[in-house]
Amino acid sequence: MGAAAPAAARRHSRRRASGALEGEVLAVLRRAGAPLTPREVQGRLSGGLTYSTVVTILSRLHGKEVLTRTPRGRAYAYAPVTDEAGLAARRMRRILDEVPDREVVLARFATELPEGDGRLLRALLD
């Protein structure tokens, strides 16, 4: 019984968090530069994820509107909606959409920026 526990602990410690898996899948799609099917994504990922796991990750990212998908044969081919900076901007916009007082949130955000980022933001807005 004692020998099984260390093996289970090793298996559990090798598991990646859902967000890490999503990041890996996104990185594969960005590097590809063209839409990929789940099987193509699976082949480019390290770590031996099952096909169903890859499909689940792609479906979740599509549901979050991070990926587009188009039919290709009997599967879908997936591609990122935008680059990493665009995704960060979309997340920030979604957060603003969820709060009742955008002005307060934006003011707090701007005042808490490091000085260099504050200058950059002012320059972008001018």
Side-chain angles (χ1 to χ4, degrees):
M1 185 178 340
R10 280 194 305 273
R11 275 195 311 273
H12 182 57
S13 67
R14 286 186 294 209
R15 292 188 73 190
R16 292 168 282 193
S18 177
L21 290 173
E22 289 180 357
E24 289 177 37
V25 168
L26 271 172
V28 164
L29 291 167
R30 284 192 190 110
R31 283 192 305 268
L36 298 176
T37 65
R39 185 73 64 204
E40 292 167 330
V41 172
Q42 181 189 25
R44 295 178 187 207
L45 284 168
S46 62
L49 293 177
T50 65
Y51 178 80
S52 63
T53 299
V54 173
V55 169
T56 298
I57 294 166
L58 290 167
S59 297
R60 286 182 182 163
L61 289 170
H62 178 258
K64 293 178 183 179
E65 299 179 356
V66 173
L67 301 178
T68 60
R69 71 180 182 191
T70 54
R72 186 189 298 166
R74 293 175 46 191
Y76 286 108
Y78 294 85
V81 169
T82 186
D83 61 9
E84 198 167 342
L87 287 175
R90 289 176 63 162
R91 284 192 299 270
M92 292 166 63
R93 214 171 32 251
R94 277 200 189 113
I95 290 169
L96 283 174
D97 290 343
E98 293 173 3
V99 296
D101 196 343
R102 295 170 77 97
E103 184 177 345
V104 171
V105 174
L106 286 169
R108 177 78 51 90
F109 176 76
T111 58
E112 292 182 5
L113 285 172
E115 188 176 324
D117 289 343
R119 280 194 305 271
L120 176 60
L121 183 58
R122 281 190 293 283
L124 290 170
L125 293 173
D126 287 339

Coordinates of all heavy atoms in Angstrom, one line a residue, residues 19-104:
G19 N -5.2 26.1 -16.8 CA -4.7 27.3 -17.4 C -3.4 27.1 -18.1 O -3.2 27.7 -19.2
A20 N -2.6 26.3 -17.6 CA -1.3 26.0 -18.2 C -1.5 25.2 -19.5 O -0.8 25.5 -20.5 CB -0.4 25.2 -17.3
L21 N -2.4 24.3 -19.5 CA -2.8 23.5 -20.7 C -3.3 24.4 -21.8 O -2.9 24.4 -23.0 CB -3.7 22.4 -20.4 CG -3.2 21.2 -19.6 CD1 -4.4 20.3 -19.2 CD2 -2.1 20.5 -20.3
E22 N -4.2 25.3 -21.4 CA -4.8 26.3 -22.3 C -3.7 27.2 -22.9 O -3.6 27.4 -24.1 CB -5.8 27.2 -21.7 CG -7.1 26.4 -21.4 CD -8.2 27.3 -20.7 OE1 -7.9 28.5 -20.4 OE2 -9.3 26.8 -20.5
G23 N -2.7 27.6 -22.1 CA -1.6 28.4 -22.6 C -0.7 27.6 -23.6 O -0.3 28.2 -24.6
E24 N -0.5 26.3 -23.3 CA 0.3 25.5 -24.2 C -0.4 25.4 -25.6 O 0.2 25.4 -26.6 CB 0.6 24.1 -23.6 CG 1.5 24.2 -22.5 CD 1.7 22.8 -21.8 OE1 1.7 21.8 -22.6 OE2 1.9 22.7 -20.6
V25 N -1.7 25.1 -25.5 CA -2.5 25.0 -26.8 C -2.5 26.3 -27.5 O -2.3 26.3 -28.8 CB -3.9 24.5 -26.4 CG1 -4.8 24.6 -27.7 CG2 -3.9 23.1 -25.9
L26 N -2.7 27.4 -26.9 CA -2.6 28.7 -27.5 C -1.3 28.9 -28.2 O -1.2 29.4 -29.3 CB -2.9 29.8 -26.6 CG -4.4 30.2 -26.4 CD1 -4.6 31.2 -25.3 CD2 -5.0 30.8 -27.7
A27 N -0.2 28.6 -27.5 CA 1.1 28.8 -28.0 C 1.3 27.9 -29.3 O 1.9 28.4 -30.3 CB 2.2 28.4 -27.0
V28 N 0.8 26.7 -29.3 CA 0.9 25.9 -30.5 C 0.2 26.5 -31.6 O 0.7 26.6 -32.8 CB 0.4 24.4 -30.2 CG1 0.1 23.7 -31.5 CG2 1.3 23.7 -29.3
L29 N -1.0 27.0 -31.4 CA -1.8 27.6 -32.5 C -1.2 28.9 -33.0 O -1.2 29.2 -34.2 CB -3.2 27.9 -32.0 CG -4.1 26.6 -31.8 CD1 -5.3 27.0 -31.0 CD2 -4.4 26.0 -33.1
R30 N -0.6 29.7 -32.1 CA 0.1 30.9 -32.5 C 1.3 30.6 -33.4 O 1.6 31.3 -34.4 CB 0.5 31.8 -31.3 CG -0.6 32.5 -30.7 CD -0.1 33.5 -29.6 NE -1.2 34.0 -28.9 CZ -1.4 33.7 -27.6 NH1 -0.6 33.0 -26.9 NH2 -2.5 34.2 -27.0
R31 N 2.1 29.6 -33.0 CA 3.3 29.2 -33.8 C 2.9 28.7 -35.1 O 3.6 28.9 -36.1 CB 4.1 28.2 -33.0 CG 5.0 28.8 -31.9 CD 6.0 27.8 -31.4 NE 5.4 26.5 -30.9 CZ 5.0 26.3 -29.7 NH1 5.1 27.2 -28.7 NH2 4.5 25.1 -29.4
A32 N 1.8 28.0 -35.2 CA 1.4 27.4 -36.4 C 1.1 28.4 -37.5 O 1.4 28.2 -38.7 CB 0.1 26.5 -36.2
G33 N 0.5 29.6 -37.1 CA 0.2 30.6 -38.1 C -1.0 30.3 -39.0 O -1.3 31.0 -40.0
A34 N -1.6 29.1 -38.8 CA -2.8 28.7 -39.6 C -3.7 27.8 -38.7 O -3.2 27.3 -37.7 CB -2.3 27.9 -40.8
P35 N -4.9 27.7 -39.0 CA -5.8 26.9 -38.2 C -5.4 25.5 -38.2 O -4.9 24.9 -39.2 CB -7.2 27.0 -38.9 CG -7.1 28.3 -39.6 CD -5.7 28.4 -40.1
L36 N -5.5 24.8 -37.0 CA -5.2 23.4 -36.8 C -6.3 22.6 -36.3 O -7.1 23.2 -35.5 CB -4.0 23.3 -35.8 CG -2.7 23.9 -36.1 CD1 -1.7 23.8 -35.0 CD2 -2.1 23.3 -37.4
T37 N -6.4 21.4 -36.6 CA -7.4 20.5 -36.1 C -6.9 20.0 -34.7 O -5.7 20.1 -34.4 CB -7.6 19.3 -37.0 OG1 -6.4 18.5 -37.1 CG2 -8.1 19.7 -38.4
P38 N -7.8 19.4 -33.9 CA -7.4 18.9 -32.6 C -6.2 17.8 -32.8 O -5.3 17.8 -32.0 CB -8.6 18.2 -32.1 CG -9.8 19.0 -32.7 CD -9.3 19.4 -34.1
R39 N -6.3 17.0 -33.8 CA -5.3 16.0 -34.0 C -3.9 16.7 -34.3 O -2.9 16.2 -33.8 CB -5.7 15.1 -35.2 CG -4.7 13.9 -35.4 CD -4.8 12.8 -34.4 NE -6.1 12.2 -34.4 CZ -6.6 11.5 -33.3 NH1 -5.8 11.4 -32.2 NH2 -7.7 10.9 -33.3
E40 N -4.0 17.7 -35.1 CA -2.7 18.5 -35.4 C -2.2 19.1 -34.2 O -0.9 19.1 -33.9 CB -3.0 19.5 -36.5 CG -3.3 18.9 -37.9 CD -3.8 19.8 -38.9 OE1 -4.5 20.8 -38.5 OE2 -3.6 19.6 -40.1
V41 N -3.0 19.7 -33.4 CA -2.6 20.3 -32.1 C -2.0 19.3 -31.2 O -0.9 19.4 -30.6 CB -3.8 21.0 -31.4 CG1 -3.4 21.5 -30.0 CG2 -4.3 22.2 -32.2
Q42 N -2.7 18.1 -31.1 CA -2.2 17.0 -30.2 C -0.8 16.6 -30.7 O 0.1 16.4 -29.8 CB -3.1 15.9 -30.3 CG -2.7 14.7 -29.4 CD -3.6 13.4 -29.7 OE1 -4.1 13.3 -30.8 NE2 -3.6 12.6 -28.7
G43 N -0.6 16.5 -31.9 CA 0.8 16.1 -32.4 C 1.9 17.1 -32.2 O 3.0 16.7 -32.1
R44 N 1.5 18.3 -32.0 CA 2.5 19.4 -31.7 C 2.8 19.7 -30.2 O 3.7 20.4 -29.9 CB 2.1 20.7 -32.4 CG 2.2 20.5 -33.9 CD 1.7 21.8 -34.6 NE 1.6 21.5 -36.1 CZ 1.7 22.5 -37.0 NH1 2.0 23.7 -36.6 NH2 1.6 22.2 -38.2
L45 N 1.9 19.1 -29.4 CA 2.1 19.3 -27.9 C 3.0 18.2 -27.3 O 3.0 17.1 -27.8 CB 0.7 19.2 -27.3 CG -0.3 20.3 -27.4 CD1 -1.6 19.9 -26.9 CD2 0.2 21.5 -26.6
S46 N 3.7 18.7 -26.4 CA 4.5 17.7 -25.6 C 3.7 17.2 -24.4 O 2.8 17.9 -24.0 CB 5.8 18.4 -25.1 OG 5.5 19.4 -24.2
G47 N 4.0 16.1 -23.9 CA 3.3 15.6 -22.7 C 2.3 14.5 -23.0 O 1.6 14.1 -22.0
G48 N 2.0 14.2 -24.2 CA 1.1 13.0 -24.5 C -0.3 13.2 -24.0 O -0.9 12.3 -23.4
L49 N -0.9 14.4 -24.3 CA -2.3 14.6 -24.0 C -3.2 13.7 -24.9 O -2.9 13.5 -26.0 CB -2.7 16.0 -24.1 CG -2.1 17.0 -23.2 CD1 -2.5 18.5 -23.5 CD2 -2.4 16.7 -21.8
T50 N -4.3 13.2 -24.3 CA -5.2 12.5 -25.1 C -5.9 13.4 -26.1 O -6.1 14.6 -25.9 CB -6.2 11.7 -24.3 OG1 -7.0 12.7 -23.6 CG2 -5.5 10.8 -23.2
Y51 N -6.5 12.8 -27.2 CA -7.2 13.5 -28.1 C -8.4 14.2 -27.5 O -8.7 15.4 -27.7 CB -7.7 12.6 -29.3 CG -8.5 13.2 -30.3 CD1 -7.9 14.0 -31.3 CD2 -9.9 13.1 -30.3 CE1 -8.7 14.6 -32.3 CE2 -10.7 13.8 -31.3 CZ -10.0 14.5 -32.3 OH -10.8 15.1 -33.2
S52 N -9.1 13.5 -26.6 CA -10.3 14.1 -26.0 C -9.9 15.3 -25.1 O -10.7 16.2 -25.0 CB -11.1 13.0 -25.2 OG -10.3 12.5 -24.1
T53 N -8.8 15.2 -24.4 CA -8.3 16.3 -23.6 C -8.1 17.6 -24.5 O -8.5 18.7 -24.2 CB -7.1 16.0 -22.8 OG1 -7.4 14.9 -21.9 CG2 -6.6 17.1 -22.0
V54 N -7.4 17.3 -25.6 CA -7.1 18.4 -26.6 C -8.5 19.0 -27.1 O -8.6 20.3 -27.1 CB -6.2 18.0 -27.7 CG1 -6.1 19.1 -28.8 CG2 -4.9 17.6 -27.2
V55 N -9.4 18.2 -27.4 CA -10.7 18.7 -27.9 C -11.4 19.5 -26.8 O -12.0 20.6 -27.1 CB -11.6 17.5 -28.4 CG1 -13.0 18.0 -28.6 CG2 -11.0 16.9 -29.6
T56 N -11.3 19.0 -25.6 CA -12.0 19.7 -24.5 C -11.3 21.1 -24.3 O -12.0 22.1 -24.1 CB -11.8 18.9 -23.2 OG1 -12.5 17.7 -23.3 CG2 -12.4 19.7 -22.0
I57 N -10.0 21.2 -24.3 CA -9.3 22.5 -24.2 C -9.7 23.4 -25.3 O -10.0 24.6 -25.1 CB -7.8 22.3 -24.1 CG1 -7.4 21.5 -22.9 CG2 -7.0 23.6 -24.2 CD1 -6.0 20.9 -22.9
L58 N -9.7 22.9 -26.6 CA -10.0 23.7 -27.7 C -11.5 24.2 -27.6 O -11.8 25.4 -27.9 CB -9.8 23.0 -29.0 CG -8.3 22.7 -29.4 CD1 -8.3 21.7 -30.5 CD2 -7.6 24.0 -29.8
S59 N -12.4 23.4 -27.2 CA -13.8 23.7 -27.0 C -13.9 24.8 -26.0 O -14.7 25.8 -26.2 CB -14.6 22.5 -26.7 OG -14.6 21.6 -27.7
R60 N -13.2 24.7 -24.9 CA -13.3 25.7 -23.8 C -12.8 27.0 -24.3 O -13.4 28.1 -24.0 CB -12.5 25.2 -22.6 CG -13.3 24.1 -21.8 CD -12.5 23.8 -20.6 NE -13.2 22.7 -19.9 CZ -12.6 21.9 -19.0 NH1 -11.4 22.1 -18.6 NH2 -13.3 21.0 -18.4
L61 N -11.7 27.0 -25.0 CA -11.1 28.3 -25.5 C -12.0 28.9 -26.5 O -12.2 30.1 -26.6 CB -9.7 28.0 -26.1 CG -8.6 27.7 -25.1 CD1 -7.3 27.3 -25.8 CD2 -8.3 29.0 -24.2
H62 N -12.7 28.1 -27.3 CA -13.6 28.6 -28.3 C -14.8 29.2 -27.5 O -15.3 30.3 -27.9 CB -14.1 27.5 -29.2 CG -15.1 27.9 -30.2 ND1 -16.5 27.7 -30.1 CD2 -15.0 28.7 -31.4 CE1 -17.1 28.2 -31.1 NE2 -16.3 28.8 -31.9
G63 N -15.3 28.5 -26.5 CA -16.4 29.1 -25.7 C -16.1 30.4 -25.0 O -16.9 31.2 -24.8
K64 N -14.8 30.6 -24.7 CA -14.3 31.8 -24.1 C -14.1 32.9 -25.2 O -13.6 34.0 -24.8 CB -13.0 31.6 -23.3 CG -13.2 30.7 -22.1 CD -11.9 30.5 -21.4 CE -11.9 29.6 -20.2 NZ -10.6 29.4 -19.6
E65 N -14.3 32.6 -26.4 CA -14.1 33.5 -27.5 C -12.7 33.8 -27.7 O -12.3 34.9 -28.2 CB -15.0 34.7 -27.4 CG -16.5 34.4 -27.4 CD -17.4 35.6 -27.3 OE1 -16.9 36.7 -27.1 OE2 -18.6 35.4 -27.3
V66 N -11.8 32.9 -27.4 CA -10.3 33.1 -27.6 C -9.9 32.5 -28.9 O -9.0 32.9 -29.5 CB -9.6 32.4 -26.4 CG1 -8.1 32.4 -26.7 CG2 -9.9 33.1 -25.1
L67 N -10.7 31.5 -29.4 CA -10.4 30.8 -30.7 C -11.6 30.9 -31.6 O -12.7 31.0 -31.2 CB -10.1 29.4 -30.5 CG -8.9 29.0 -29.6 CD1 -8.9 27.4 -29.5 CD2 -7.6 29.5 -30.1
T68 N -11.3 30.9 -32.9 CA -12.3 30.7 -33.9 C -12.2 29.3 -34.4 O -11.2 28.7 -34.2 CB -12.1 31.7 -35.1 OG1 -10.9 31.4 -35.7 CG2 -12.2 33.1 -34.7
R69 N -13.3 28.8 -35.0 CA -13.2 27.5 -35.5 C -14.0 27.4 -36.8 O -15.0 28.0 -37.0 CB -13.7 26.4 -34.5 CG -15.1 26.4 -34.2 CD -15.4 25.3 -33.2 NE -16.9 25.2 -33.0 CZ -17.5 24.5 -32.1 NH1 -16.7 23.8 -31.2 NH2 -18.8 24.5 -31.9
T70 N -13.4 26.6 -37.7 CA -14.1 26.4 -39.0 C -14.1 25.0 -39.3 O -13.1 24.2 -39.0 CB -13.3 27.2 -40.1 OG1 -11.9 26.8 -40.1 CG2 -13.4 28.7 -40.0
P71 N -15.1 24.5 -40.0 CA -15.2 23.1 -40.3 C -14.0 22.7 -41.3 O -13.7 23.4 -42.2 CB -16.5 22.9 -41.0 CG -17.3 24.1 -40.6 CD -16.3 25.2 -40.4
R72 N -13.4 21.5 -41.0 CA -12.4 21.0 -41.9 C -12.6 19.4 -41.8 O -12.3 18.8 -40.9 CB -11.0 21.3 -41.4 CG -10.0 20.8 -42.5 CD -8.6 20.8 -42.1 NE -8.1 22.2 -41.9 CZ -6.9 22.4 -41.2 NH1 -6.2 21.4 -40.8 NH2 -6.5 23.6 -41.0
G73 N -13.2 18.9 -42.9 CA -13.6 17.5 -42.9 C -14.6 17.2 -41.9 O -15.6 17.9 -41.7
R74 N -14.3 16.2 -41.0 CA -15.2 15.8 -40.0 C -14.8 16.5 -38.6 O -15.4 16.2 -37.6 CB -15.1 14.3 -39.8 CG -15.7 13.6 -41.0 CD -15.6 12.1 -41.0 NE -16.0 11.5 -39.7 CZ -15.8 10.3 -39.4 NH1 -15.2 9.5 -40.2 NH2 -16.2 9.8 -38.2
A75 N -13.9 17.4 -38.7 CA -13.4 18.1 -37.4 C -13.5 19.6 -37.7 O -14.0 20.0 -38.7 CB -12.0 17.7 -37.1
Y76 N -13.1 20.3 -36.6 CA -13.0 21.7 -36.8 C -11.5 22.1 -36.8 O -10.7 21.3 -36.2 CB -13.6 22.5 -35.6 CG -15.1 22.5 -35.6 CD1 -15.8 21.7 -34.7 CD2 -15.8 23.3 -36.5 CE1 -17.2 21.8 -34.7 CE2 -17.2 23.4 -36.5 CZ -17.9 22.6 -35.6 OH -19.2 22.6 -35.6
A77 N -11.1 23.2 -37.4 CA -9.8 23.7 -37.3 C -9.9 25.0 -36.5 O -10.8 25.8 -36.8 CB -9.2 24.0 -38.7
Y78 N -9.0 25.2 -35.6 CA -9.0 26.3 -34.6 C -7.9 27.2 -34.9 O -6.8 26.8 -35.2 CB -8.9 25.7 -33.2 CG -10.1 24.9 -32.8 CD1 -10.2 23.6 -33.1 CD2 -11.1 25.5 -32.1 CE1 -11.3 22.8 -32.7 CE2 -12.2 24.7 -31.7 CZ -12.3 23.4 -32.0 OH -13.4 22.6 -31.6
A79 N -8.1 28.5 -34.6 CA -7.1 29.5 -34.7 C -7.4 30.6 -33.7 O -8.5 30.9 -33.3 CB -7.1 30.2 -36.1
P80 N -6.3 31.3 -33.2 CA -6.5 32.3 -32.2 C -7.3 33.5 -32.8 O -7.1 33.8 -34.0 CB -5.1 32.8 -31.8 CG -4.2 31.6 -32.3 CD -4.9 31.0 -33.4
V81 N -8.1 34.1 -32.0 CA -8.8 35.3 -32.4 C -7.9 36.5 -32.6 O -8.0 37.3 -33.5 CB -10.0 35.7 -31.4 CG1 -10.6 37.0 -31.7 CG2 -11.0 34.6 -31.4
T82 N -6.9 36.6 -31.7 CA -6.0 37.7 -31.7 C -4.7 37.3 -31.1 O -4.5 36.1 -30.6 CB -6.6 38.9 -31.0 OG1 -5.7 40.0 -31.1 CG2 -6.8 38.6 -29.5
D83 N -3.7 38.2 -31.0 CA -2.4 37.8 -30.4 C -2.5 38.0 -28.9 O -3.6 38.3 -28.4 CB -1.3 38.7 -31.0 CG -1.5 40.2 -30.8 OD1 -2.4 40.6 -30.0 OD2 -0.8 41.0 -31.4
E84 N -1.4 37.8 -28.2 CA -1.4 37.8 -26.7 C -1.8 39.2 -26.2 O -2.6 39.3 -25.2 CB 0.0 37.4 -26.2 CG 0.0 37.0 -24.8 CD 1.3 36.4 -24.4 OE1 2.1 35.9 -25.3 OE2 1.6 36.3 -23.2
A85 N -1.3 40.2 -26.8 CA -1.7 41.6 -26.4 C -3.2 41.8 -26.6 O -3.8 42.4 -25.7 CB -0.9 42.6 -27.1
G86 N -3.7 41.4 -27.7 CA -5.1 41.5 -27.9 C -6.0 40.8 -26.9 O -7.0 41.2 -26.5
L87 N -5.5 39.6 -26.5 CA -6.2 38.8 -25.5 C -6.2 39.5 -24.2 O -7.2 39.5 -23.4 CB -5.7 37.4 -25.4 CG -5.9 36.5 -26.5 CD1 -5.2 35.1 -26.3 CD2 -7.4 36.2 -26.7
A88 N -5.1 40.1 -23.8 CA -5.0 40.8 -22.5 C -5.9 42.0 -22.5 O -6.7 42.3 -21.6 CB -3.6 41.3 -22.3
A89 N -6.0 42.7 -23.7 CA -6.9 43.9 -23.8 C -8.3 43.4 -23.7 O -9.2 44.1 -23.1 CB -6.6 44.6 -25.1
R90 N -8.7 42.3 -24.3 CA -10.0 41.8 -24.2 C -10.4 41.4 -22.8 O -11.5 41.7 -22.3 CB -10.2 40.6 -25.1 CG -10.2 40.9 -26.6 CD -10.3 39.7 -27.4 NE -11.5 39.0 -27.1 CZ -12.1 38.1 -27.8 NH1 -11.5 37.7 -28.9 NH2 -13.2 37.6 -27.5
R91 N -9.5 40.8 -22.0 CA -9.8 40.5 -20.6 C -10.0 41.7 -19.8 O -10.9 41.8 -19.0 CB -8.6 39.7 -20.0 CG -8.6 38.2 -20.5 CD -7.6 37.4 -19.7 NE -6.2 37.8 -19.7 CZ -5.3 37.4 -20.7 NH1 -5.7 36.5 -21.6 NH2 -4.1 37.8 -20.6
M92 N -9.2 42.8 -20.1 CA -9.4 44.0 -19.3 C -10.7 44.6 -19.6 O -11.4 45.1 -18.8 CB -8.2 45.0 -19.7 CG -6.9 44.5 -19.2 SD -5.4 45.4 -19.9 CE -5.7 47.0 -19.3
R93 N -11.1 44.6 -20.9 CA -12.4 45.2 -21.3 C -13.5 44.4 -20.7 O -14.5 45.0 -20.2 CB -12.5 45.1 -22.8 CG -13.3 46.3 -23.4 CD -13.2 46.4 -24.9 NE -13.1 45.1 -25.7 CZ -12.0 44.7 -26.3 NH1 -11.0 45.4 -26.3 NH2 -12.0 43.6 -27.0
R94 N -13.4 43.1 -20.6 CA -14.5 42.3 -20.0 C -14.6 42.6 -18.5 O -15.7 42.7 -18.0 CB -14.2 40.8 -20.1 CG -14.6 40.2 -21.5 CD -14.8 38.7 -21.4 NE -14.9 38.3 -22.7 CZ -14.1 37.5 -23.4 NH1 -13.0 37.1 -22.8 NH2 -14.3 37.1 -24.6
I95 N -13.5 42.8 -17.8 CA -13.6 43.2 -16.4 C -14.3 44.5 -16.3 O -15.1 44.7 -15.4 CB -12.1 43.2 -15.8 CG1 -11.6 41.8 -15.7 CG2 -12.1 43.9 -14.5 CD1 -10.1 41.7 -15.4
L96 N -13.9 45.5 -17.1 CA -14.6 46.8 -17.0 C -16.1 46.6 -17.3 O -16.9 47.3 -16.7 CB -14.0 47.7 -18.1 CG -12.7 48.4 -17.7 CD1 -12.1 49.2 -18.8 CD2 -12.8 49.2 -16.4
D97 N -16.5 45.8 -18.2 CA -17.9 45.5 -18.5 C -18.7 45.0 -17.3 O -19.9 45.1 -17.3 CB -18.1 44.6 -19.7 CG -17.6 45.3 -21.0 OD1 -17.5 46.5 -21.1 OD2 -17.4 44.6 -22.0
E98 N -18.0 44.3 -16.4 CA -18.6 43.6 -15.3 C -18.8 44.5 -14.1 O -19.5 44.1 -13.1 CB -17.8 42.4 -14.9 CG -17.8 41.3 -16.0 CD -16.9 40.2 -15.6 OE1 -16.3 40.2 -14.6 OE2 -16.8 39.3 -16.5
V99 N -18.1 45.7 -14.0 CA -18.2 46.5 -12.8 C -19.2 47.7 -13.1 O -19.3 48.2 -14.2 CB -16.8 47.1 -12.4 CG1 -15.9 46.0 -12.0 CG2 -16.2 47.9 -13.5
P100 N -19.9 48.1 -12.0 CA -20.9 49.1 -12.2 C -20.3 50.5 -12.4 O -21.0 51.4 -13.0 CB -21.7 49.1 -10.9 CG -20.8 48.4 -9.9 CD -19.9 47.5 -10.7
D101 N -19.1 50.8 -11.9 CA -18.6 52.1 -12.0 C -17.2 52.1 -12.7 O -16.2 52.0 -12.1 CB -18.5 52.8 -10.6 CG -18.2 54.3 -10.7 OD1 -17.9 54.8 -11.8 OD2 -18.4 54.9 -9.7
R102 N -17.3 52.1 -14.0 CA -16.0 52.0 -14.8 C -15.1 53.2 -14.5 O -13.9 53.0 -14.5 CB -16.4 52.1 -16.3 CG -17.2 51.0 -16.8 CD -17.7 51.3 -18.3 NE -16.6 51.1 -19.2 CZ -16.4 50.0 -20.0 NH1 -17.2 49.0 -19.8 NH2 -15.4 50.0 -20.8
E103 N -15.6 54.4 -14.2 CA -14.7 55.5 -14.0 C -13.9 55.3 -12.8 O -12.7 55.6 -12.8 CB -15.6 56.8 -13.8 CG -14.8 58.0 -13.6 CD -15.6 59.3 -13.5 OE1 -16.8 59.2 -13.8 OE2 -15.0 60.3 -13.0
V104 N -14.4 54.8 -11.7 CA -13.7 54.5 -10.5 C -12.6 53.4 -10.8 O -11.4 53.6 -10.3 CB -14.6 54.0 -9.3 CG1 -13.8 53.6 -8.1 CG2 -15.5 55.2 -8.9

